[in-house]
């Protein structure tokens, strides 16, 4: 998994590449946790995410709860296979996905 990010003032865009699963989710969570201080707008670019497991979903839910208190969060460029996981789990109803 690769994580790239760009911060402009209080807006943070994070582009993740590869799989977000039980092996990579801890790194994803740690990196996001370090980056969220002072952020009021978080954009997660999922264009190059091939797969997301329940461990990855847990991280996204945890980050969403943080951002609910700090500002807003949205996911962009979600591919079909990851979107199917969001739909099956009901995450598509609780996340802002564009």
């Amino acid at each position: 998994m690769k994580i790239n990010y760009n911060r402009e003032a209080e807006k943070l865009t994070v582009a993740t590449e590869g799989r977000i699963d039980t092996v990579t989710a801890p790194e994803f969570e740690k990196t996001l946790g370090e980056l969220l201080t002072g952020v009021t707008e978080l954009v997660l670019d999922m264009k190059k995410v091939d797969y997301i497991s329940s461990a990855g979903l847990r991280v996204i839910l945890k980050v969403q709860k943080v951002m609910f208190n700090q500002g807003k969060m949205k996911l962009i460029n979600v591919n079909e296979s990851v979107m199917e996981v969001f739909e099956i789990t009901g995450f598509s109803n609780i996340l802002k996905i564009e």
Side-chain angles (χ1 to χ4, degrees):
M1 178 183 68
K2 292 182 184 177
I3 302 171
N4 298 304
Y5 63 91
N6 180 40
R7 183 161 183 177
E8 297 173 11
E10 296 176 344
K11 179 181 179 181
L12 175 66
T13 302
V14 177
T16 306
E17 185 176 333
R19 297 171 58 93
I20 306 174
D21 55 22
T22 54
V23 174
T24 60
E27 176 189 352
F28 185 51
E29 182 175 10
K30 180 178 183 264
T31 300
L32 286 174
E34 292 169 352
L35 295 172
L36 289 180
T37 302
V39 171
T40 59
E41 182 180 355
L42 174 62
V43 178
L44 294 179
D45 188 340
M46 308 289 283
K47 184 177 185 175
K48 295 184 178 179
V49 174
D50 303 323
Y51 171 81
I52 189 164
S53 73
S54 59
L57 293 174
R58 182 189 60 77
V59 173
I60 288 178
L61 186 59
K62 185 175 179 180
V63 169
Q64 185 202 29
K65 288 179 181 180
V66 170
M67 290 310 301
F68 182 76
N69 293 321
Q70 289 182 207
K72 58 186 176 179
M73 177 179 111
K74 69 180 175 182
L75 282 69
I76 61 171
N77 301 320
V78 178
N79 69 37
E80 278 186 43
S81 61
V82 173
M83 188 63 184
E84 185 176 349
V85 173
F86 288 150
E87 289 171 352
I88 290 170
T89 59
F91 272 58
S92 59
N93 296 326
I94 60 172
L95 298 173
K96 182 176 182 181
I97 303 172
E98 294 180 358

